Amino acid sequence: MTTSATQTPSHTSYLNSRPALPVLAQAAVAFAVLVTKWSIRHTTRKELRHLSAEQLNDIGISREEAHYQGTLPFWRP
């Protein structure tokens, strides 16, 4: 059994037809996104400090730049 694309709504139209999240839920999602960004930033900066000279050369940054980026606090982009 096949259905045509015109008979079933697209995912985008389904999402657009949904009611907006309550304000508190929007704030919770925004906070979760922020904490996730900070966690990823912290982890990648910590790993950057431990890369070898060859690995740093592969990604095109110097040891000094890696040290600088690796010592930035997680909340700074």
Side-chain angles (χ1 to χ4, degrees):
M1 179 176 165
T2 62
T3 59
S4 69
T6 58
Q7 292 177 343
T8 58
S10 71
H11 298 295
T12 306
S13 64
Y14 172 76
L15 292 174
N16 289 335
S17 69
R18 303 296 303 160
L21 288 174
V23 174
L24 186 58
Q26 289 177 5
V29 169
F31 180 73
V33 167
L34 180 63
V35 169
T36 302
K37 278 184 186 180
W38 284 351
S39 176
I40 292 169
R41 200 176 288 159
H42 172 75
T43 302
T44 55
R45 287 180 177 168
K46 184 172 68 172
E47 292 296 321
L48 185 62
R49 291 191 306 253
H50 299 292
L51 292 179
S52 69
E54 293 81 19
Q55 291 169 322
L56 291 172
N57 190 35
D58 284 346
I59 61 174
I61 64 172
S62 67
R63 173 63 62 197
E64 294 78 23
E65 179 66 17
H67 176 73
Y68 172 74
Q69 290 294 327
T71 56
L72 286 174
F74 62 87
W75 62 85
R76 291 196 45 211

